[in-house]
Amino acid sequence: MQDIIPFFMVLVLFVGTCLVSPLHDGPMYDSTAYTECKEEPEKPLYNGGVFESQPQSGGVQHAVAFSGLIRASLQTENETYDCIGTVLAKSGCWSFLKGGFLLNWPSTSSMLFFQNTDGKDINIELASPSLQPFTKQQWRFNQEYLINTHRKQAVTIHVSDSNGKRMQGATINIEQISKDFPFGSAIAKTILGNMPYQNWFVKRFNAAVFENELKWYATEADQGKVNYTISDQMLQFVRANKIIARGHNIFWEDPKYTPAWARNLTGIQLQAAVDSRIQSLMNQYREEFIHWDVSNEMLHFDFYEKRLGPDATLHFFETAHKSDPLATVFMNDFNVVETCSDVNSTVDTYISRLRELQQNGVFMDGIGLESHFTVPNLPLMRAIIDKLATLNLPIWLTEVDISKTLDKDTQAIYLEQVLREGFSHPSVNGIMLWTALHPQGCYQMCLTDNDFRNLPSGDVVDKLLQEWQTGHAEGVTDEHGSYSIFGFLGEYRVTATYGNKTADTTFSLCGGRETKHVTISIRF
């Protein structure tokens, strides 16, 4: 008897060439997602969207426990989409597939295909299908709505005299002095002693990550000769400029990036070496970094677990958390949001591995999505983040870039799309670009040339940085002695002037639907 794999599904269709009225008359995006297996399928999102109503199926019970990674693909007259969504479905309950795709050309006929990725012969049962189209303008409207409701907050400034009498006509000047949302880039040792590079970086970013300088092969190229000179100097630059930094990384599961001498060790010798590495690193940098990428790219590689046993990664996370309990420990990997074609790192594979660590006692509290894109699929990206968001853990885009196989203008177009998608998703807590500058260029994408003249991607970053800050606001108090603005989250300085008298204060916008109220008293 064949296994039956039941699941329910929603797909978001992003229509690339359709005009709508400037007034929003389209659907609001539904971020609903499920990662648990349901006894019964949920109702279809968007009431099914363009699909006709279909009867709801009950849960399928099966005597044999079985799961399968189901991939959805699409074929139209003009395009074939290899993967537009996946789900790790189980027999006996209903799993949720959420995905999406961009339709570049009109289509009168298309076929959705569902298949088990390992080729095993199974029956697939589908319920509650939904397909909801959005135009580009509708998608942007939803992004801006989410930014306005989750990245900004209203504040009202009240001005009174020392007796509490409200003062109409007072001049108010508000300046944002720091941003709440971490937006940064990788840096390399090339920034040391390079004042133009340092000035360019500090002007733009409030977060940093060391591209290679913390990695084991960089700090201990020869066994027993640990050298933190470069990383110490880079950290000094970060501290001096009040920039937060991510710790990347403690171990890298790809043997290619493991020190050559360590690759030759086995058993007790390798265990002693990894213990020494993590102890040395934590002793050197305890409480210095906000995050630690503990076992980098563990969905794709397993060097340490092959050599030290299946609990090796568990040991790494436990030790890192115990040694630096105030840092957030991250599981960092690629091809999680970039695509769903990589069976090693689908969203449910990521979630399954994370839960496995948690069930074994690992204090896991960060989701790292590398975000090395070629052609981004924004509806799929958002759907995947929706599912990850159900875990209620911090989500960061940790290494954002666009493939160098594309020209610089195309890189810039796609970079803007990815950054807007990340910033607009309420569950994304920070964005890091993978754009450390070297004399020979960058890993995939540079923001500037070697003389710090912006490339097209740099223009995109500067435009968005300007767009995503309140900057300076000026106004006059009304008859209630009040003045209100809607500002991006962060720290502010406000000055009130009435006649020749001035008073000032600072305040923070930290998020929430409630209006922040700040009172300034001017003494005469």
Side-chain angles (χ1 to χ4, degrees), residues 29 41 81 84 160 177 187 314 329 343 394 397 401 434:
Y29 180 81
Y81 302 82
I84 58 174
S160 64
I177 55 179
I187 56 174
L314 176 68
V329 291
V343 297
L397 308 185
D401 61 19
W434 206 248

Side-chain angles (χ1 to χ4, degrees), residues 373-374 400-404 406 410-411 414-415 418 444-445:
F373 287 90
T374 302
V400 177
D401 61 19
I402 307 297
S403 172
K404 61 185 177 183
L406 305 173
T410 305
Q411 281 183 319
Y414 289 156
L415 178 65
V418 170
Q444 294 287 334
M445 178 188 74

